[in-house]
């Protein structure tokens, strides 16, 4: 049976296009078929007659990753989040090759391309599941929008000149009312993304929890919250607010009118990430943030 890998590339970067071409060459030479997105094929400069490409699929095709062993993503975390949209419906694992600045979701760096392809060919990788979150928007008793996210859902002000007026709740009980720029509701995976920038805690991926982090709240109590994975977090946009915008992973947006209620809970379907390394999350944290650890002598015996 032919092995197939779906390639998702940040084609806006020349380096990514070059790396994608190398990945196609190396995998094809090893007998692994490569599938690419239709709108990326010409950017990567793959001729229509090139037999190295097994198939071409559309960006929004829910079956794009069908029968694929992996979704290999060439880019930064934003491109990996795009790959997650493609891979989630088929539960196909994602393996990210980082070309971004931090690349917390990526498993390897571009300098390790040979190592990465070799491990793919030999199936020398493990797969871990990452929690997602589902979100519903209700207004006047009607569901007006729904979505999901791997990192976070954020409710943000639609206009710069006015704060949002939000009431936050956990498990159907009111928690606090905030005048703020917004609220981030995140997974442990997203704790190093937008929630981190908003002052939230770093949560190890193995921890099952949900986060609620207010953004620039003008309130006496506006601390980041870590709640149970079974909890339902919600914010209601008060009527005196002109409106808000709901973002899922910073990629998909919907308007939230005054009076609407945004509910967030653990996602019904996780995202699967392929791992090449066995190093603990602490090492990843130190490397990605270049944390100072000089003087550490290790655990005492």
């Amino acid at each position: 049976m032919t092995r197939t890998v779906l390639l998702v590339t940040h084609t806006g970067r020349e380096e990514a296009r070059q790396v994608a071409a190398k990945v196609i060459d190396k995998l094809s030479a090893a007998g692994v078929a490569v599938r690419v997105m239709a709108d990326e094929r010409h950017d990567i400069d793959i001729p229509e007659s090139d037999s190295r490409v097994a198939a071409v699929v559309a960006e929004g095709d829910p079956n794009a990753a069908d029968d694929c062993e992996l979704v290999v993503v060439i880019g930064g975390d934003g491109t990996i989040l795009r790959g997650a949209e493609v891979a989630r419906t088929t539960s196909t694992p994602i393996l990210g090759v980082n070309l971004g600045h931090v690349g917390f979701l990526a498993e390897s760096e571009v300098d390790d391309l040979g190592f990465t392809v070799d491990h793919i060919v030999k199936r020398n990788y493990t797969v871990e599941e990452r929690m997602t979150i589902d979100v519903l928007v209700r207004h006047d008793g009607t569901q007006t929008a729904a979505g999901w996210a791997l990192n976070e859902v954020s409710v943000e002000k639609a206009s710069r000149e006015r704060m949002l007026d939000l009431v936050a709740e956990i498990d159907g009980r009111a928690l606090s009312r905030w005048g703020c720029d917004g609220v981030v509701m995140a997974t442990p995976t997203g704790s190093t993304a937008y929630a981190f920038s908003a002052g939230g805690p770093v949560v190890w991926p193995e921890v099952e929890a949900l986060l609620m982090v207010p953004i620039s709240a003008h309130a006496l109590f506006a601390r980041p919250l870590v709640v149970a994975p079974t909890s339902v977090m919600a914010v209601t946009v008060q009527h005196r607010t002109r409106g808000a915008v709901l973002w899922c992973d910073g990629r998909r947006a919907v308007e939230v009118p005054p009076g609407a209620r945004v509910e967030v809970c653990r996602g019904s379907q996780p995202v699967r990430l392929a791992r090449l390394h066995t190093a603990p999350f602490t090492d990843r944290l130190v490397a990605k943030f270049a944390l100072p650890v000089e003087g550490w002598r290790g655990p005492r015996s």
Side-chain angles (χ1 to χ4, degrees):
M1 183 177 178
T2 303
R3 298 172 61 194
T4 305
V5 164
L6 174 64
L7 192 64
V8 176
T9 307
H10 183 351
T11 55
R13 296 184 59 176
E14 174 63 27
E15 183 182 13
R17 297 194 296 270
Q18 293 175 358
V19 170
K22 291 179 181 177
V23 169
I24 292 171
D25 284 339
K26 291 178 180 293
L27 288 177
S28 300
V32 180
V34 181
R35 188 180 294 173
V36 299
M37 295 294 183
D39 58 347
E40 296 177 2
R41 179 174 188 141
H42 296 293
D43 290 332
I44 303 172
D45 196 23
I46 305 169
E48 293 289 345
S49 59
D50 197 330
S51 60
R52 298 174 303 170
V53 177
V56 177
V57 290
E59 176 81 25
D61 185 350
N63 302 314
D66 267 2
D67 302 320
C68 286
E69 180 180 319
L70 286 173
V71 174
V72 177
V73 180
I74 312 296
D77 280 347
T79 313
I80 294 175
L81 290 171
R82 179 161 65 92
E85 295 174 8
V86 176
R88 180 172 176 261
T89 55
T90 55
S91 298
T92 307
I94 305 163
L95 195 155
V97 179
N98 183 40
L99 270 73
H101 297 293
V102 180
F104 251 103
L105 293 173
E107 182 57 17
S108 67
E109 302 297 323
V110 67
D111 294 340
D112 300 325
L113 189 62
F115 168 88
T116 301
V117 172
D118 183 60
H119 276 58
I120 294 173
V121 171
K122 294 179 179 178
R123 287 194 175 99
N124 190 9
Y125 56 84
T126 59
V127 176
E128 66 182 40
E129 290 190 347
R130 292 293 183 89
M131 183 192 303
T132 59
I133 47 180
D134 289 337
V135 57
L136 294 176
V137 181
R138 304 181 191 276
H139 189 231
D140 291 336
T142 302
Q143 179 181 314
T144 59
W148 72 278
L150 171 59
N151 272 351
E152 78 280 313
V153 166
S154 61
V155 180
E156 304 175 39
K157 60 183 183 180
S159 56
R160 181 178 177 83
E161 65 272 13
R162 294 194 64 178
M163 291 192 300
L164 284 180
D165 185 6
L166 302 176
V167 172
E169 67 178 67
I170 304 294
D171 295 329
R173 306 300 297 175
L175 174 74
S176 188
R177 185 168 180 170
W178 294 323
C180 57
D181 286 351
V183 174
V184 179
M185 290 169 278
T187 65
T189 300
S191 71
T192 53
Y194 195 179
F196 178 83
S197 300
V202 174
V203 180
W204 265 235
E206 299 85 359
V207 176
E208 293 200 339
L210 298 172
L211 286 73
M212 177 181 279
V213 184
I215 306 171
S216 301
H218 190 71
L220 291 176
F221 178 82
R223 298 295 186 184
L225 306 172
V226 180
V227 303
T230 54
S231 288
V232 177
M233 304 180 291
V235 292
T236 301
V237 181
Q238 299 303 290
H239 286 282
R240 74 184 188 92
T241 300
R242 290 182 180 176
V245 179
L246 169 71
W247 286 93
C248 295
D249 282 336
R251 291 183 45 79
R252 307 174 299 278
V254 62
E255 292 185 4
V256 181
R261 185 172 183 271
V262 178
E263 301 176 1
V264 173
C265 65
R266 181 176 189 156
S268 58
Q269 188 171 357
V271 166
R272 305 175 75 214
L273 299 182
R275 292 302 187 202
L276 307 179
H277 307 283
T278 58
F281 181 72
T282 306
D283 290 357
R284 180 181 293 264
L285 201 64
V286 170
K288 294 297 184 180
F289 285 143
L291 300 178
V293 293
E294 295 84 358
W296 181 69
R297 298 179 181 274
R300 294 182 179 181
S301 57

